[in-house]
């Protein structure tokens, strides 16, 4: 009898096990399927925290709705009746002491029409004129492996990038635009430049793909953990071991012996490492591999949810939140007006906000040393200065994601290939998977779990 071990019960590991269990049933295989998870709950970076009045997500808060694969896994798990969509509404940039709207017809802050550029209040007249060079500059040098920041600056000039695009885009992709590749962020920008001679014209020609006002994200009535619970309930034929860490993998002939933190040992034929790269590198005692793993980068984030006993009409403007551009007045990088954006998160429509601090923030080292109580006070002071709200909170959840958010550098794809080829040469049957390597979005992780299961299945039929 063959044994497959998945290390890590995040969404990637769960999706891989779901596929493997399905295959096992269809093929009446006797393969033993084991999943080991370090903490006492499954889901990893997906975890819903509920109180009587509020639903909060300590990690991911939503799933991109327009990905083709998204509805298929939701239907497979029977969650279609649980789906809720985000409310659409304006977002703002906090700059010069006030909230200024991100203009209509913009995608990640990039103008998607000439009118959008003309009307923005975030950029000076000179900055707008400079941005017009998008219509007449020609790209002879950029490839998809170049920095997205450099391409945007080449097309639109510095001011528009700094004041309007960077606050939005680097927030979404957690990193400096100069360090992020076109391929890993918005590969279609280069296609538009090539096909239409201008990014703005490209967006205009593909308008229906970027309809603003569209409900772009989804969650579930009882929070994102519904997805994890549904997977867990389905995996009846998988031995799930929680509260136990995999600590070492050793080759024994053409199998592997994996040691757990509770001193148990398991002999397996194939192993999927569905865990962050900085954990994976400790499992295989291999210096060459370690060097490759060390090339991969993580960034950090602290999020503070605050719930109040006041209706969310107290917010000063319509809309769903703001991002901070360089500001002396407040310290947070962004603030989502959660009860506005996600109606299901507040039972009676009371105000729930989520305040974000990212590792790019100059105050981040200071914040990392603070207690949860101090972080809450810090966030409350940002709320007061930006939104004018002085009420006492009734609920708060502080989550420190230090060193856990994958940050794909320009060298990322090359490093992942190097790890894959070293593993297949020296450790056949050991596979890396998940957000450290193949995309951070939940649908990407689910697809990657499925693809990794395909590789494992081929190994099982050899
Ligand atoms: P993880 O969720 O990291 O799971 C890995 C699991 O492995 C963990 O449960 C961990 O405990 C376990 N583990 C680690 N080491 C060991 C070991 N040695 N032995 C056993 N188990 C081990 N994505 C979206 O699509 N939408 C969002 O809105 C969104 N927002 C996010 C907000 C935050 C704050 C964060 C942190 C992430 C967000 N993401 C979002 C990204 C998304 O949540 C993650 O990329 C995805 O959940 C990662 O899943 P994973 O299974 O690859 O890894």
């Amino acid at each position: 009898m063959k044994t497959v071990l998945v290390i890590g019960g995040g969404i990637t590991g769960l999706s891989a096990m779901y596929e493997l269990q399905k295959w096992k049933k269809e093929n009446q295989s006797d393969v033993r399927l084991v999943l080991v998870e370090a903490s006492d709950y499954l889901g990893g970076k997906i975890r819903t925290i509920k109180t009587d009045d509020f639903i909060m997500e300590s990690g991911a808060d939503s799933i991109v709705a327009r990905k083709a694969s998204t509805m298929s896994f939701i239907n497979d798990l029977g969650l279609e009746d649980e789906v809720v969509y985000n409310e659409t509404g304006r977002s703002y940039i906090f700059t010069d002491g006030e909230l200024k709207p991100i203009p209509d017809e913009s995608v990640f802050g990039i103008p998607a029409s000439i009118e959008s550029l003309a009307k923005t209040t975030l950029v000076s007249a000179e900055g707008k004129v400079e941005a017009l060079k998008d219509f007449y500059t020609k790209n002879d040098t950029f490839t998809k492996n170049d920095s997205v920041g450099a391409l945007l600056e080449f097309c639109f000039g510095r001011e528009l990038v700094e004041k309007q695009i960077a606050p939005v885009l680097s927030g979404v992709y957690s990193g400096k635009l100069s360090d992020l590749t076109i391929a890993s962020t918005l590969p279609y920008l280069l296609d538009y430049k090539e096909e239409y001679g201008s990014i703005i014209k490209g967006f205009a020609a593909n308008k229906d793909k970027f309809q603003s006002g569209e409900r772009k994200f989804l969650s579930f009535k009882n929070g994102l953990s519904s997805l994890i619970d549904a997977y867990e309930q389905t995996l009846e034929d998988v031995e799930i071991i929680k509260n136990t860490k995999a600590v070492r993998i050793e080759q024994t002939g053409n199998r592997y012996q994996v040691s757990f933190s509770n001193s148990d040992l398991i002999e397996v034929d194939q192993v999927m490492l569905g865990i962050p790269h900085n954990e994976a590198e400790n499992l295989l005692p291999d210096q060459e591999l370690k060097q490759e793993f060390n090339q991969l980068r993580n960034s950090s984030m602290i999020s503070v949810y605050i719930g109040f006993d006041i209706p969310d009409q107290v917010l000063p403007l319509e809309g769903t939140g703001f991002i901070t551009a360089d500001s002396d007045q407040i310290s947070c990088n962004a603030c989502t007006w959660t009860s506005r954006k996600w109606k299901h998160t507040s039972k009676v429509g009371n105000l729930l906000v989520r305040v974000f601090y990212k590792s790019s923030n100059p105050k981040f080292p200071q914040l990392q040393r603070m207690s949860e109580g101090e972080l809450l006070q810090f966030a409350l002071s940002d709320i007061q200065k930006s939104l004018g709200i002085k009420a006492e909170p009734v609920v708060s959840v502080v989550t420190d994601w230090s060193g856990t958010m994958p940050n794909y550098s320009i060298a990322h794809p090359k490093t992942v290939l190097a790890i894959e080829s070293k593993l297949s040469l020296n450790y056949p049957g050991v596979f890396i998977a998940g957000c450290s390597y193949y995309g951070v979005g939940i649908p990407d992780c689910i697809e990657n779990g499925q693809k990794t299961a395909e590789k494992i299945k081929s190994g099982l039929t050899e």
Side-chain angles (χ1 to χ4, degrees):
M1 183 179 70
K2 289 195 171 173
T3 301
V4 173
L5 174 68
V6 165
I7 305 179
I11 192 71
T12 311
L14 292 171
S15 142
M17 269 311 184
Y18 180 81
E19 290 305 311
L20 289 170
Q21 178 180 271
K22 205 159 77 181
W23 178 88
K24 176 176 175 173
K25 209 176 257 169
E26 283 164 6
N27 291 277
Q28 296 177 351
S29 157
D30 66 351
V31 61
R32 182 182 172 208
L33 301 174
V34 184
L35 183 145
V36 64
E37 163 56 47
S39 58
D40 58 2
Y41 59 90
L42 298 178
K45 297 186 176 87
I46 301 175
R47 192 176 189 207
T48 307
I49 296 171
K50 286 190 221 165
T51 64
D52 288 344
D53 296 324
F54 297 111
I55 293 183
M56 295 164 277
E57 304 289 351
S58 72
D61 78 350
S62 57
I63 302 176
V64 164
R66 95 180 126 82
K67 273 228 158 190
S69 61
T70 297
M71 278 328 281
S72 87
F73 64 74
I74 288 174
N75 293 340
D76 274 358
L77 294 166
L79 285 172
E80 57 275 38
D81 294 339
E82 302 276 308
V83 170
V84 290
Y85 290 92
N86 67 296
E87 298 297 317
T88 56
R90 199 172 269 294
S91 297
Y92 300 84
I93 292 185
F94 186 85
T95 181
D96 306 327
E98 58 176 313
L99 293 168
K100 295 186 182 176
I102 298 174
D104 289 337
E105 293 187 332
S106 62
V107 178
F108 299 114
I110 306 167
S113 70
I114 186 84
E115 292 76 18
S116 172
L117 176 63
K119 285 187 189 152
T120 181
T121 54
L122 290 158
V123 181
S124 70
E126 292 77 29
K128 292 183 191 184
V129 171
E130 199 189 0
L132 290 174
K133 68 180 180 170
D134 172 51
F135 291 104
Y136 56 82
T137 46
K138 205 166 160 274
N139 168 39
D140 293 320
T141 50
F142 286 98
T143 70
K144 289 192 177 169
N145 288 328
D146 288 315
S147 120
V148 69
L151 173 71
L152 288 166
E153 223 172 286
F154 170 78
C155 296
F156 295 110
R158 179 170 287 194
E159 188 182 340
L160 184 80
V161 174
E162 275 181 5
K163 295 197 169 157
Q164 183 169 310
I165 303 175
V168 187
L169 198 55
S170 51
V172 174
Y173 289 95
S174 34
K176 280 193 199 152
L177 296 194
S178 54
D179 298 337
L180 295 166
T181 62
I182 300 167
S184 69
T185 52
L186 309 175
Y188 52 81
L189 294 184
L190 210 53
D191 301 336
Y192 288 174
K193 192 73 187 160
E194 240 125 59
E195 203 175 331
Y196 305 95
S198 140
I199 292 176
I200 295 182
K201 281 189 186 164
F203 276 125
N206 291 278
K207 225 174 189 167
D208 18 323
K209 286 194 201 143
F210 303 97
Q211 286 295 354
S212 59
E214 190 194 348
R215 295 166 145 210
K216 292 187 185 129
F217 300 97
L218 61 83
S219 179
F220 304 102
K221 273 192 263 188
N222 290 306
L224 271 192
S225 280
S226 298
L227 183 63
I228 304 303
D229 298 343
Y231 270 118
E232 187 169 4
Q233 276 161 25
T234 322
L235 296 179
E236 300 157 328
D237 205 3
V238 176
E239 293 165 48
I240 297 179
I241 308 167
K242 295 183 195 168
N243 246 327
T244 306
K245 230 178 145 166
V247 288
R248 196 176 172 83
I249 301 175
E250 272 174 281
Q251 231 161 355
T252 50
N254 55 0
R255 301 189 88 201
Y256 296 94
Q257 193 175 62
V258 184
S259 336
F260 293 161
S261 52
N262 60 4
S263 309
D264 281 355
L265 287 176
I266 179 170
E267 289 261 343
V268 304
D269 298 274
Q270 301 193 71
V271 195
M272 180 185 122
L273 310 177
I275 55 181
H277 69 88
N278 45 322
E279 296 283 345
E281 71 174 41
N282 298 324
L283 294 183
L284 289 158
D286 182 313
Q287 275 315 312
E288 269 189 43
L289 263 174
K290 209 176 172 88
Q291 269 175 13
E292 297 293 352
F293 278 121
N294 274 327
Q295 305 291 319
L296 299 174
R297 295 278 162 265
N298 279 339
S299 57
S300 304
M301 206 227 327
I302 294 172
S303 107
V304 184
Y305 265 104
I306 312 178
F308 299 89
D309 193 15
I310 46 173
D312 67 9
Q313 282 99 319
V314 295
L315 284 164
L317 294 161
E318 288 305 312
T320 55
F322 70 83
I323 299 165
T324 313
D326 282 339
S327 164
D328 299 334
Q329 286 105 331
I330 61 170
S331 304
C332 63
N333 294 89
C335 172
T336 302
W337 303 341
T338 306
S339 50
R340 280 267 181 86
K341 187 169 179 184
W342 296 103
K343 292 287 178 207
H344 70 288
T345 61
S346 178
K347 210 179 206 169
V348 294
N350 275 347
L351 179 65
L352 178 67
V353 296
R354 190 179 189 189
V355 188
F356 295 92
Y357 298 91
K358 303 198 169 161
S359 38
S360 55
N361 193 317
K363 297 213 171 103
F364 202 77
Q366 177 192 342
L367 296 171
Q368 282 177 306
R369 291 192 293 272
M370 287 186 185
S371 67
E372 290 195 0
E374 288 168 329
L375 282 165
L376 171 62
Q377 290 312 316
F378 203 81
L380 278 170
S381 131
D382 278 343
I383 295 293
Q384 189 173 333
K385 287 184 220 155
S386 56
L387 306 175
I389 292 168
K390 296 182 188 157
E392 280 299 309
V394 289
V395 161
S396 67
V397 171
V398 176
T399 319
D400 184 351
W401 290 105
S402 282
T404 58
M405 318 258 308
N407 190 344
Y408 296 175
S409 69
I410 291 185
H412 182 89
K414 230 170 91 193
T415 308
V416 173
L417 275 178
I419 298 173
E420 282 175 353
S421 72
K422 286 199 165 79
L423 282 176
S424 88
L425 198 65
N426 300 324
Y427 303 95
V430 177
F431 304 101
I432 46 169
C435 62
S436 280
Y437 316 98
Y438 301 106
V440 298
I442 292 168
D444 300 321
C445 292
I446 291 180
E447 274 174 46
N448 181 240
Q450 293 164 343
K451 279 193 188 145
T452 314
E454 287 300 322
K455 294 184 200 163
I456 294 174
K457 285 185 224 168
S458 337
L460 288 171
T461 46
E462 268 167 15

